[in-house]
Amino acid sequence: MKDFEYEAPVSLATAIEQIAAGNGSVKVLAGGTDLIDHIRTGRLTPSLVVDVKKIPELNVLEINSDGLRLGASVSCASVYGNEDICRDYSALSDSCHIIGGIQIQNRASVGGNLCNSGPAADSIPSLIALDATCVIAGPQGTREIAAEDFCTAPGKNVLESGELLVELVMPARPAKSGSHYLRFIPRNEMDIAVVGVGASVMLDETGETIQSARIGIGAAAPTPLFAKEASELLTGLPANEESFAKAAAAAQEIVTPIDDMRGTVEFRTHVTGVLTKRALHVAVERARKS
Amino acid sequence: MAKKRVVTTKINGRPVEFLCEPRQTLLEVLRENLDMIGTKEGCSNGNCGACTILIDGKAVDSCLVLAVEAEGMNIETIEGVASADGLHPLQQAFLEEAALQCGICTPGLIMSAKALLAQNPDPTEEEIRFALAGNLCRCTGYDKIVRAVQSAAKMGCASAAK
Ligand SMILES: Cc1cc2nc3c(=O)[nH]c(=O)nc-3n(C[C@H](O)[C@H](O)[C@H](O)COP(=O)(O)OP(=O)(O)OC[C@H]3O[C@@H](n4cnc5c(N)ncnc54)[C@H](O)[C@@H]3O)c2cc1C
Ligand code: FES
Ligand code: FES
């Protein structure tokens, strides 16, 4: 690997100083499951790597009546190892369960998955479905942005040079709410999503009517998408297959997938519809049980 | 060139201090600086699991860890698996079930299986397959490997793993 310096600051303020001082040739290191390979292959040539895993703010994992606070460097294994997340933010734990194998999950963070900003990144549709806000810190202070606005192009995002992602904040999940993420891959394990869909729903107290829903779609456009119309049309509809089919049709309208060895445009569009229905179906089942 | 760093760790129960460059992976340092060549290099990009070691009890791909990150960590490698009394039940089971051919994948598989059994002493076949999904074997076939892990679990590998 090409030579670089390494720092592992224990405070956010120091990290921001070090990242800002590096003038754009700094890379933040969380679990390293994307970054280390990118450096090894020469795709990235940072002069400084700043390991952010020792910063307390990036290790927060707090769940209470305000919602969920997830530090950017918390590992996927810690996410699905948390029973409260598995129960109330199931889409996120579903995502974390399928990112790589155990060795990857023990290191890879949700923050790193988001900041790597791959179109097929498995945590992003779930973050969108769960209405996550990204908290970003930099020399100019702190700012917030919705998960669906974070990625701007394949591998690109809104982070300015000198900034880092601190945490992801998700609102509390009331009774009768549920969520699910699933993807289509040609193998059972260890593959890149052909399409991935995350859905969350809130039902009325009878469990029969949808009060609100959010659908996030991955691998079907240059960036993960928030399927706004598909989500909003569900409000007030009965929680049944017919409603899910309407949302699926609306979701298929917004995708702009690519043709590659994993699937054609036609196939990916079809799969978007199928997965939207399935994600909603499971999210509703979970909501009824909650 | 970036200054070399002194890293203090525990490897297989013994305190170890090593000197490394920030750009070196833990896999590279284990094999090249510390002459611990039991941990194998397959793909060097996190796909094959041949380089699996345990850090603080958790299976990770050592090709995707920087050696400088290992400061203060508790590392276990294949070299620490057998004891003075002989092979570990997992190693014995891999031999008895013929769960290896060329052997490149074996150290990684044993480390992954060891982490699994420490956490879940009586895993189902499906749980074993999930736990080993990050370890590729290109010669033996996974059925024999899964059987070996099942047989090690029966031998009470969990108690031996502690
Ligand atoms: C074998 C294998 C299988 C994989 N399978 C999947 C899969 O199924 N699904 C999937 O989605 N991904 C998969 N990945 C990709 C990868 O594991 C994930 O994207 C992972 O979540 C990245 O997290 P990390 O903590 O390792 O990030 P790192 O590699 O540490 O960082 C990733 C990028 O984000 C930046 N970054 C990290 N943290 C911050 C921060 N706080 N602020 C600003 N920038 C930051 C880094 O500079 C880097 O550019 C796989 C990778 C491998 C090697
Ligand atoms: S060598 Fe590390 S995973 Fe293949
Ligand atoms: S025995 Fe050869 S790769 Fe597994």
Side-chain angles (χ1 to χ4, degrees), chain A residues 1 3 6 53 106-107, chain B residues 2 5 23 59 64 69 130:
Chain A
M1 253 192 286
D3 192 39
Y6 170 87
K53 289 191 294 296
N106 278 334
R107 289 266 294 171
Chain B
R5 310 292 182 99
R23 63 181 191 87
L64 292 182
E69 290 183 70
F130 263 103

Side-chain angles (χ1 to χ4, degrees), chain B residues 115-131:
Chain B
L116 168 70
L117 295 181
Q119 213 190 2
N120 179 357
D122 188 21
T124 62
E125 179 181 340
E126 196 183 339
E127 285 167 339
I128 295 172
R129 288 187 187 269
F130 263 103

Side-chain angles (χ1 to χ4, degrees), chain B residues 27 40-51 61-63:
Chain B
L27 172 63
K40 303 302 178 198
E41 177 174 11
C43 63
S44 245
N45 61 23
N47 273 286
C48 76
C51 65
D61 294 320
S62 59
C63 69

